[in-house]
Amino acid sequence: RISVGDFVLELTRPMANAAVADVFIPSNNVVRFPGVSPAAILGAPGGGADLDSPSSEGVFAGPPSDPFKKFLWHFERQVMPVFYQLNLKHEWRTIAAGAIVVFGLLCVVVSIYPVTELAQDRISREATKRAHLMAKEIAEANTPFLAQRAENQTRINSAYESERSVRLAVLTDLDGRIIAPSNLQNQFLSAGSVANFASRVRDKYRDGANFDSVARTVGASTVAAVYPVLVSSNQAGRNVAVAVAVVALDLSMSTMSMGEIGVAYSKALVVLSILGFLVAYFLYRMTLRPFQVLNEDMDKVLKGAMDQVTREYKFSEMNQLWDVIASALERASKSSGPASGVENTGAQVDISTTLQSVATFFGNTLSCGVAICGEDQRLSYLSPAFEEISGIRASGAEGQQFEEVARDVAFSALMTSLFERAPSSTDGVEDDFEFSGVAYRVHALAFGMSAFAGPKVYMINIRKTGEGG
């Protein structure tokens, strides 16, 4: 395949393609498109396309057999189109910033929530052990008194009653009647989640099947422990449970409250927002930098200061774009250089000077008004007829824009509109305007435009309506 300017000479193997075409039978998972040979589809000599390759043109193949490639195949066709559509409606930087914000929020939730859950679970386990030890201490301390049937001597450690995290610390019989402490004696433990839990455990002890202590979380923020008081029974010939020690602890006094959890989330969000902003800014600038350098290099190549664009930054995803731009610039330089028989030395013709010379010759002899403006839309020449029609004097207008020297605001607005529209038309643009009640036709034409730069010079012509240009 040989490229010469805009022409391409390509040699193929028609016999190989024809041979494959004779045996090609389309299947259900391959769709033929116009302009694609069977050789390209089947990968025969002269073709070389791979059905599993996403870069194969003109072929639609099913998902690949490899699990990872199959996942990527479905992801590209079912998930990514949503983001492609977003980029058609919103700026890339807006989408990137939104993605980083969502990612930051997910990071905070995913990182903080497991930590708080782990802390809550650890505190709950420790509270369960503590409740079990307290219940065991109460039961062992009162076992001698209950063995002697001296209920009036039973007691509860006063430290348990004064501790804020202890919701309940009592000694009851198997019917739920409170034996100790003395201020609750002969009352019944019958209401609440702790009472229901203790009742179930007492029923188990009453049956005598198992005398193991039980401790667990009951309710939203309460840990309860039940420990049996065992005494020897001559009638039963074994130890029997005659009472139970019940202890309930409040977990809310030890675990993090919603406010404290909110503070933790807020701190994490603040820190992550700062770090996320820095990372986003670095990535944003690193993404734009290669394009800024490319833009500068293209300008230098077009001016003849460089031979081709550079690739200093590692951006492999954009290698194809760089290749296309380098090829286009090379063709542009060839078409304006040796191909036209003129050596391209980088020198540029001053279009403004040339047009000004022509306008001076004709502007001094014709009745129509002629004016020349540079690329910054500042006046560089006005013919005598233009001065007479517009009332603008060349002696004070050169180097100024129309809005600075025009006597009529409407004429200044007209010129601004013509300057904006002139680059889009090769024949120029025109509009009507009245000077001192006389109708004139104002025509503007832009010169020296290129694919990468605006006009180098503007020419304005004013003539009476109905006269030739």
Side-chain angles (χ1 to χ4, degrees):
R1 186 175 184 180
I2 305 174
S3 297
V4 180
D6 295 331
F7 300 94
V8 179
L9 173 64
E10 182 175 358
L11 302 180
T12 60
R13 296 183 180 180
M15 295 303 297
N17 292 347
V20 177
D22 293 338
V23 300
F24 176 74
I25 301 177
S27 59
N28 293 331
N29 65 336
V30 177
V31 180
R32 283 291 308 278
F33 287 94
V36 180
S37 66
I41 296 178
L42 295 181
D50 182 8
L51 292 180
D52 290 338
S53 174
S55 62
S56 299
E57 298 179 356
V59 179
F60 175 82
S65 57
D66 183 78
F68 181 70
K69 292 183 178 180
K70 184 176 181 181
F71 168 78
L72 294 179
W73 190 90
H74 286 288
F75 186 84
E76 179 65 28
R77 286 158 179 79
Q78 298 177 11
V79 178
M80 289 309 299
V82 177
F83 296 94
Y84 296 150
Q85 290 295 325
L86 284 176
N87 201 14
L88 295 177
K89 301 178 181 179
H90 305 284
E91 288 283 348
W92 170 82
R93 59 176 176 267
T94 303
I95 299 175
I100 291 177
V101 170
V102 173
F103 175 74
L105 293 176
L106 291 177
C107 286
V108 170
V109 173
V110 171
S111 59
I112 298 296
Y113 181 78
V115 173
T116 56
E117 285 292 307
L118 182 62
Q120 298 278 27
D121 183 66
R122 186 174 184 84
I123 292 174
S124 177
R125 290 200 305 268
E126 293 298 327
T128 301
K129 293 179 181 179
R130 182 163 173 260
H132 173 267
L133 293 175
M134 293 173 63
K136 180 180 179 181
E137 182 182 350
I138 293 174
E140 292 178 349
N142 292 286
T143 297
F145 304 118
L146 294 178
Q148 298 174 8
R149 300 178 181 273
E151 293 184 358
N152 57 344
Q153 297 183 15
T154 57
R155 63 184 183 276
I156 302 295
N157 192 336
S158 59
Y160 298 160
E161 299 180 13
S162 60
E163 190 171 344
R164 293 180 56 189
S165 61
V166 178
R167 285 189 175 182
L168 182 68
V170 296
L171 183 67
T172 70
D173 60 14
L174 297 184
D175 294 327
R177 181 177 63 87
I178 297 177
I179 301 174
S182 58
N183 60 332
L184 299 176
Q185 197 169 24
N186 295 326
Q187 297 182 22
F188 283 86
L189 183 64
S190 58
S193 58
V194 177
N196 295 333
F197 168 67
S199 176
R200 292 193 298 269
V201 177
R202 288 198 305 268
D203 293 341
K204 185 184 70 169
Y205 292 160
R206 187 181 291 107
D207 296 338
N210 191 349
F211 295 123
D212 294 336
S213 60
V214 181
R216 67 182 59 173
T217 302
V218 294
S221 60
T222 304
V223 171
V226 179
Y227 198 93
V229 178
L230 303 178
V231 298
S232 178
S233 173
N234 295 329
Q235 181 178 359
R238 57 185 177 85
N239 291 335
V240 296
V242 296
V244 293
V246 181
V247 175
L249 300 180
D250 185 3
L251 287 178
S252 63
M253 303 297 295
S254 303
T255 57
M256 297 175 63
S257 63
M258 294 301 297
E260 293 172 333
I261 294 176
V263 171
Y265 275 101
S266 300
K267 291 182 179 179
L269 279 174
V270 170
V271 175
L272 191 62
S273 298
I274 297 174
L275 296 178
F277 173 79
L278 294 176
V279 171
Y281 181 78
F282 291 149
L283 291 177
Y284 179 73
R285 298 305 305 172
M286 289 176 62
T287 304
L288 292 184
R289 182 58 182 170
F291 293 98
Q292 293 174 348
V293 174
L294 174 63
N295 184 46
E296 296 172 358
D297 290 351
M298 289 173 59
D299 184 64
K300 293 179 181 178
V301 171
L302 291 174
K303 292 180 179 179
M306 293 178 59
D307 295 332
Q308 61 181 2
V309 294
T310 59
R311 296 186 184 181
E312 297 177 355
Y313 294 93
K314 305 299 181 181
F315 206 155
S316 59
E317 289 77 6
M318 290 297 174
N319 282 343
Q320 292 183 349
L321 175 61
W322 262 252
D323 292 337
V324 171
I325 292 175
S327 177
L329 293 175
E330 182 179 359
R331 292 182 180 181
S333 62
K334 288 181 178 179
S335 62
S336 61
S340 59
V342 179
E343 183 178 359
N344 185 10
T345 61
Q348 299 181 347
V349 178
D350 191 346
I351 302 176
S352 178
T353 303
T354 303
L355 285 178
Q356 185 169 332
S357 301
V358 176
T360 302
F361 177 80
F362 288 101
N364 293 331
T365 58
L366 298 178
S367 60
C368 64
V370 179
I372 303 294
C373 293
E375 59 183 346
D376 56 355
Q377 300 176 7
R378 296 185 180 275
L379 287 162
S380 59
Y381 169 79
L382 282 84
S383 70
F386 192 97
E387 292 181 272
E388 182 179 353
I389 295 172
S390 64
I392 302 174
R393 299 306 172 192
S395 58
E398 290 184 0
Q400 304 293 322
Q401 294 182 341
F402 275 99
E403 61 182 9
E404 299 173 340
V405 296
R407 296 183 178 182
D408 193 344
V409 177
F411 180 62
S412 174
L414 172 65
M415 296 309 303
T416 301
S417 176
L418 293 177
F419 284 144
E420 292 176 352
R421 293 183 288 142
S424 61
S425 175
T426 56
D427 297 328
V429 292
E430 56 184 12
D431 210 338
D432 293 325
F433 193 81
E434 288 187 0
F435 292 96
S436 302
V438 181
Y440 285 87
R441 195 74 173 170
V442 182
H443 184 272
L445 188 63
F447 296 90
M449 290 178 294
S450 66
F452 306 97
K456 295 295 184 182
V457 64
Y458 296 87
M459 174 179 282
I460 300 94
N461 171 262
I462 300 179
R463 66 186 183 278
K464 286 185 179 181
T465 303
E467 292 184 353

